[in-house]
Short mmCIF file of all heavy atoms in Angstrom, two decimals:
data_model
loop_
_atom_site.label_atom_id
_atom_site.label_comp_id
_atom_site.label_asym_id
_atom_site.label_seq_id
_atom_site.Cartn_x
_atom_site.Cartn_y
_atom_site.Cartn_z
N VAL A 1 55.50 -7.97 58.39
CA VAL A 1 55.11 -8.03 56.98
C VAL A 1 53.60 -8.23 56.88
O VAL A 1 52.92 -7.57 56.08
CB VAL A 1 55.87 -9.14 56.23
CG1 VAL A 1 55.30 -9.36 54.84
CG2 VAL A 1 57.35 -8.80 56.15
N SER A 2 53.05 -9.10 57.70
CA SER A 2 51.61 -9.34 57.69
C SER A 2 50.83 -8.10 58.08
O SER A 2 49.80 -7.79 57.47
CB SER A 2 51.29 -10.49 58.65
OG SER A 2 49.91 -10.74 58.65
N THR A 3 51.32 -7.35 59.05
CA THR A 3 50.65 -6.12 59.48
C THR A 3 50.66 -5.08 58.37
O THR A 3 49.63 -4.44 58.09
CB THR A 3 51.33 -5.55 60.74
OG1 THR A 3 51.25 -6.52 61.78
CG2 THR A 3 50.69 -4.25 61.19
N VAL A 4 51.79 -4.90 57.72
CA VAL A 4 51.90 -3.94 56.62
C VAL A 4 51.00 -4.37 55.46
O VAL A 4 50.28 -3.56 54.88
CB VAL A 4 53.37 -3.78 56.15
CG1 VAL A 4 53.44 -2.98 54.86
CG2 VAL A 4 54.20 -3.11 57.25
N GLU A 5 51.01 -5.64 55.15
CA GLU A 5 50.19 -6.17 54.06
C GLU A 5 48.70 -5.95 54.35
O GLU A 5 47.94 -5.52 53.48
CB GLU A 5 50.46 -7.66 53.86
CG GLU A 5 49.67 -8.28 52.74
CD GLU A 5 49.95 -9.77 52.58
OE1 GLU A 5 50.46 -10.41 53.52
OE2 GLU A 5 49.65 -10.28 51.49
N THR A 6 48.27 -6.20 55.58
CA THR A 6 46.88 -6.01 55.97
C THR A 6 46.48 -4.54 55.87
O THR A 6 45.41 -4.21 55.37
CB THR A 6 46.65 -6.53 57.40
OG1 THR A 6 46.96 -7.93 57.42
CG2 THR A 6 45.23 -6.31 57.85
N SER A 7 47.36 -3.64 56.31
CA SER A 7 47.09 -2.21 56.24
C SER A 7 46.97 -1.75 54.80
O SER A 7 46.03 -1.01 54.45
CB SER A 7 48.19 -1.44 56.96
OG SER A 7 47.97 -0.06 56.84
N LEU A 8 47.88 -2.17 53.95
CA LEU A 8 47.84 -1.78 52.54
C LEU A 8 46.59 -2.34 51.86
O LEU A 8 45.90 -1.63 51.12
CB LEU A 8 49.09 -2.25 51.81
CG LEU A 8 49.16 -1.90 50.34
CD1 LEU A 8 49.10 -0.40 50.13
CD2 LEU A 8 50.41 -2.48 49.71
N ASP A 9 46.27 -3.60 52.14
CA ASP A 9 45.08 -4.21 51.56
C ASP A 9 43.82 -3.44 51.97
O ASP A 9 42.95 -3.16 51.14
CB ASP A 9 44.98 -5.68 51.99
CG ASP A 9 43.79 -6.39 51.36
OD1 ASP A 9 43.74 -6.48 50.11
OD2 ASP A 9 42.92 -6.85 52.11
N ALA A 10 43.72 -3.06 53.24
CA ALA A 10 42.57 -2.31 53.72
C ALA A 10 42.49 -0.95 53.02
O ALA A 10 41.39 -0.51 52.64
CB ALA A 10 42.64 -2.13 55.24
N SER A 11 43.62 -0.29 52.84
CA SER A 11 43.63 1.00 52.15
C SER A 11 43.15 0.87 50.71
O SER A 11 42.33 1.67 50.24
CB SER A 11 45.04 1.61 52.15
OG SER A 11 45.45 1.90 53.46
N LEU A 12 43.64 -0.14 50.02
CA LEU A 12 43.26 -0.34 48.62
C LEU A 12 41.79 -0.73 48.48
O LEU A 12 41.10 -0.26 47.57
CB LEU A 12 44.17 -1.37 47.95
CG LEU A 12 45.63 -0.94 47.80
CD1 LEU A 12 46.46 -2.08 47.24
CD2 LEU A 12 45.76 0.31 46.94
N ARG A 13 41.31 -1.56 49.39
CA ARG A 13 39.89 -1.95 49.34
C ARG A 13 38.98 -0.75 49.63
O ARG A 13 37.94 -0.57 48.98
CB ARG A 13 39.61 -3.07 50.33
CG ARG A 13 40.11 -4.42 49.89
CD ARG A 13 39.83 -5.49 50.95
NE ARG A 13 40.49 -6.72 50.65
CZ ARG A 13 39.99 -7.67 49.85
NH1 ARG A 13 38.82 -7.49 49.28
NH2 ARG A 13 40.66 -8.76 49.62
N ARG A 14 39.36 0.06 50.59
CA ARG A 14 38.55 1.23 50.90
C ARG A 14 38.56 2.19 49.72
O ARG A 14 37.52 2.76 49.36
CB ARG A 14 39.06 1.93 52.14
CG ARG A 14 38.25 3.16 52.45
CD ARG A 14 38.53 3.76 53.78
NE ARG A 14 37.79 5.00 53.91
CZ ARG A 14 38.04 5.90 54.83
NH1 ARG A 14 38.96 5.70 55.73
NH2 ARG A 14 37.33 7.00 54.87
N MET A 15 39.73 2.38 49.11
CA MET A 15 39.82 3.27 47.95
C MET A 15 38.94 2.76 46.82
O MET A 15 38.19 3.54 46.21
CB MET A 15 41.27 3.38 47.49
CG MET A 15 41.43 4.22 46.24
SD MET A 15 41.16 5.96 46.52
CE MET A 15 42.75 6.36 47.19
N GLN A 16 38.98 1.47 46.55
CA GLN A 16 38.15 0.90 45.49
C GLN A 16 36.68 1.12 45.79
O GLN A 16 35.91 1.55 44.93
CB GLN A 16 38.43 -0.60 45.32
CG GLN A 16 37.57 -1.24 44.26
CD GLN A 16 37.88 -2.71 44.05
OE1 GLN A 16 38.75 -3.28 44.69
NE2 GLN A 16 37.17 -3.33 43.14
N SER A 17 36.27 0.87 47.01
CA SER A 17 34.89 1.05 47.40
C SER A 17 34.45 2.51 47.25
O SER A 17 33.37 2.79 46.68
CB SER A 17 34.69 0.59 48.85
OG SER A 17 33.37 0.84 49.28
N ASP A 18 35.28 3.43 47.72
CA ASP A 18 34.93 4.85 47.61
C ASP A 18 34.83 5.28 46.15
O ASP A 18 33.89 5.98 45.76
CB ASP A 18 35.96 5.72 48.34
CG ASP A 18 35.72 5.80 49.83
OD1 ASP A 18 34.69 5.27 50.31
OD2 ASP A 18 36.56 6.40 50.53
N LEU A 19 35.79 4.86 45.32
CA LEU A 19 35.75 5.24 43.91
C LEU A 19 34.50 4.69 43.22
O LEU A 19 33.85 5.39 42.44
CB LEU A 19 37.02 4.75 43.18
CG LEU A 19 38.31 5.47 43.56
CD1 LEU A 19 39.51 4.78 42.93
CD2 LEU A 19 38.27 6.93 43.17
N GLU A 20 34.16 3.45 43.52
CA GLU A 20 32.96 2.86 42.91
C GLU A 20 31.69 3.58 43.36
O GLU A 20 30.81 3.86 42.54
CB GLU A 20 32.89 1.36 43.20
CG GLU A 20 33.94 0.58 42.44
CD GLU A 20 34.03 -0.88 42.83
OE1 GLU A 20 33.35 -1.32 43.78
OE2 GLU A 20 34.81 -1.61 42.17
N HIS A 21 31.59 3.90 44.65
CA HIS A 21 30.41 4.62 45.15
C HIS A 21 30.30 6.02 44.56
O HIS A 21 29.23 6.44 44.14
CB HIS A 21 30.42 4.69 46.68
CG HIS A 21 30.00 3.43 47.33
ND1 HIS A 21 30.91 2.56 47.90
CD2 HIS A 21 28.78 2.86 47.48
CE1 HIS A 21 30.25 1.51 48.38
NE2 HIS A 21 28.97 1.66 48.15
N ILE A 22 31.41 6.73 44.52
CA ILE A 22 31.39 8.08 43.95
C ILE A 22 30.99 8.02 42.48
O ILE A 22 30.14 8.79 42.02
CB ILE A 22 32.76 8.78 44.14
CG1 ILE A 22 33.04 9.04 45.62
CG2 ILE A 22 32.80 10.08 43.33
CD1 ILE A 22 34.47 9.45 45.91
N ALA A 23 31.60 7.11 41.73
CA ALA A 23 31.30 6.99 40.29
C ALA A 23 29.83 6.69 40.07
O ALA A 23 29.22 7.23 39.13
CB ALA A 23 32.18 5.91 39.66
N ASP A 24 29.25 5.84 40.91
CA ASP A 24 27.83 5.50 40.77
C ASP A 24 26.92 6.68 41.09
O ASP A 24 25.81 6.77 40.57
CB ASP A 24 27.46 4.33 41.69
CG ASP A 24 28.02 3.00 41.21
OD1 ASP A 24 28.45 2.92 40.04
OD2 ASP A 24 28.05 2.06 42.02
N GLU A 25 27.37 7.59 41.97
CA GLU A 25 26.51 8.68 42.45
C GLU A 25 26.66 9.98 41.65
O GLU A 25 25.81 10.87 41.77
CB GLU A 25 26.83 8.96 43.92
CG GLU A 25 26.47 7.81 44.84
CD GLU A 25 27.01 7.96 46.24
OE1 GLU A 25 27.64 9.01 46.56
OE2 GLU A 25 26.85 7.02 47.03
N ILE A 26 27.70 10.11 40.84
CA ILE A 26 27.93 11.36 40.11
C ILE A 26 26.95 11.47 38.94
O ILE A 26 26.94 10.61 38.06
CB ILE A 26 29.38 11.41 39.56
CG1 ILE A 26 30.39 11.51 40.69
CG2 ILE A 26 29.57 12.56 38.57
CD1 ILE A 26 30.44 12.82 41.39
N PRO A 27 26.14 12.52 38.90
CA PRO A 27 25.25 12.71 37.75
C PRO A 27 26.08 13.07 36.51
O PRO A 27 27.08 13.79 36.60
CB PRO A 27 24.37 13.90 38.15
CG PRO A 27 24.65 14.17 39.59
CD PRO A 27 25.95 13.53 39.93
N ALA A 28 25.69 12.57 35.36
CA ALA A 28 26.42 12.85 34.12
C ALA A 28 26.53 14.36 33.88
O ALA A 28 27.56 14.83 33.39
CB ALA A 28 25.74 12.16 32.94
N ALA A 29 25.52 15.11 34.25
CA ALA A 29 25.56 16.57 34.05
C ALA A 29 26.68 17.23 34.85
O ALA A 29 27.20 18.27 34.46
CB ALA A 29 24.22 17.19 34.44
N ALA A 30 27.08 16.61 35.97
CA ALA A 30 28.16 17.17 36.80
C ALA A 30 29.52 17.06 36.11
O ALA A 30 30.48 17.69 36.54
CB ALA A 30 28.21 16.45 38.15
N LEU A 31 29.59 16.28 35.04
CA LEU A 31 30.86 16.05 34.35
C LEU A 31 31.08 17.00 33.18
O LEU A 31 31.91 16.76 32.31
CB LEU A 31 30.94 14.58 33.90
CG LEU A 31 30.81 13.58 35.04
CD1 LEU A 31 30.78 12.16 34.51
CD2 LEU A 31 31.93 13.77 36.06
N GLU A 32 30.34 18.11 33.19
CA GLU A 32 30.50 19.15 32.17
C GLU A 32 30.94 20.43 32.86
O GLU A 32 30.38 20.81 33.89
CB GLU A 32 29.18 19.36 31.43
CG GLU A 32 28.72 18.13 30.66
CD GLU A 32 27.38 18.35 29.98
OE1 GLU A 32 27.07 19.50 29.58
OE2 GLU A 32 26.63 17.36 29.87
N GLN A 33 31.95 21.08 32.29
CA GLN A 33 32.51 22.30 32.87
C GLN A 33 31.43 23.33 33.21
O GLN A 33 31.48 23.97 34.26
CB GLN A 33 33.54 22.94 31.92
CG GLN A 33 34.83 22.17 31.79
CD GLN A 33 35.78 22.34 32.96
OE1 GLN A 33 35.61 23.18 33.84
NE2 GLN A 33 36.81 21.52 32.99
N LYS A 34 30.44 23.48 32.34
CA LYS A 34 29.41 24.51 32.53
C LYS A 34 28.56 24.27 33.78
O LYS A 34 27.91 25.19 34.26
CB LYS A 34 28.52 24.61 31.30
CG LYS A 34 27.67 23.39 31.06
CD LYS A 34 26.83 23.49 29.80
CE LYS A 34 25.99 22.25 29.64
NZ LYS A 34 25.18 22.29 28.43
N ASN A 35 28.57 23.04 34.33
CA ASN A 35 27.72 22.71 35.47
C ASN A 35 28.49 22.58 36.80
O ASN A 35 27.90 22.25 37.82
CB ASN A 35 26.98 21.40 35.21
CG ASN A 35 26.04 21.51 34.03
OD1 ASN A 35 25.47 22.57 33.78
ND2 ASN A 35 25.89 20.43 33.29
N VAL A 36 29.78 22.83 36.77
CA VAL A 36 30.61 22.63 37.96
C VAL A 36 30.10 23.45 39.15
O VAL A 36 29.99 22.94 40.26
CB VAL A 36 32.09 22.94 37.67
CG1 VAL A 36 32.91 23.02 38.95
CG2 VAL A 36 32.67 21.89 36.74
N GLU A 37 29.79 24.70 38.93
CA GLU A 37 29.35 25.55 40.04
C GLU A 37 28.10 25.00 40.72
O GLU A 37 27.99 25.02 41.94
CB GLU A 37 29.09 26.97 39.54
CG GLU A 37 28.85 27.95 40.67
CD GLU A 37 28.73 29.39 40.18
OE1 GLU A 37 29.40 29.75 39.20
OE2 GLU A 37 27.94 30.13 40.79
N HIS A 38 27.19 24.46 39.95
CA HIS A 38 25.95 23.90 40.49
C HIS A 38 26.19 22.67 41.37
O HIS A 38 25.56 22.50 42.41
CB HIS A 38 24.99 23.55 39.34
CG HIS A 38 23.74 22.87 39.79
ND1 HIS A 38 22.71 23.56 40.43
CD2 HIS A 38 23.34 21.58 39.72
CE1 HIS A 38 21.75 22.70 40.72
NE2 HIS A 38 22.10 21.50 40.31
N PHE A 39 27.12 21.79 40.96
CA PHE A 39 27.34 20.52 41.66
C PHE A 39 28.50 20.56 42.66
O PHE A 39 28.65 19.65 43.47
CB PHE A 39 27.61 19.40 40.64
CG PHE A 39 26.42 19.01 39.84
CD1 PHE A 39 26.23 19.51 38.57
CD2 PHE A 39 25.47 18.13 40.35
CE1 PHE A 39 25.13 19.14 37.81
CE2 PHE A 39 24.37 17.76 39.61
CZ PHE A 39 24.19 18.27 38.33
N SER A 40 29.31 21.59 42.59
CA SER A 40 30.57 21.64 43.35
C SER A 40 30.41 21.43 44.86
O SER A 40 31.12 20.61 45.45
CB SER A 40 31.28 22.96 43.08
OG SER A 40 32.54 22.96 43.69
N LYS A 41 29.50 22.13 45.48
CA LYS A 41 29.37 22.06 46.94
C LYS A 41 29.10 20.63 47.41
O LYS A 41 29.78 20.13 48.31
CB LYS A 41 28.28 23.00 47.44
CG LYS A 41 28.14 23.00 48.95
CD LYS A 41 27.05 23.96 49.42
CE LYS A 41 26.92 23.88 50.94
NZ LYS A 41 25.80 24.69 51.42
N ASN A 42 28.13 19.97 46.83
CA ASN A 42 27.78 18.60 47.25
C ASN A 42 28.90 17.61 46.97
O ASN A 42 29.21 16.76 47.81
CB ASN A 42 26.48 18.14 46.58
CG ASN A 42 25.27 18.84 47.15
OD1 ASN A 42 25.29 19.36 48.27
ND2 ASN A 42 24.21 18.88 46.37
#
């Protein structure tokens, strides 16, 4: 149970960290349909 709990906790913490970093780095202009092609690759 401890092993499963630790694994799940690590997954959730990593997901939270990734989501926060991505959200901080996304330019507002990238959130408009007309600009998707410009920002898509990165």
Side-chain angles (χ1 to χ4, degrees):
V1 170
S2 180
T3 300
V4 170
E5 181 181 20
T6 300
S7 177
L8 180 60
D9 183 61
S11 295
L12 294 175
R13 285 179 190 274
R14 179 170 175 195
M15 177 71 80
Q16 178 178 0
S17 176
D18 279 354
L19 290 172
E20 289 173 355
H21 283 102
I22 294 168
D24 288 344
E25 295 169 3
I26 293 288
L31 302 175
E32 297 178 31
Q33 289 283 350
K34 67 182 181 181
N35 297 327
V36 168
E37 189 174 326
H38 175 74
F39 289 99
S40 186
K41 182 179 178 186
N42 288 338

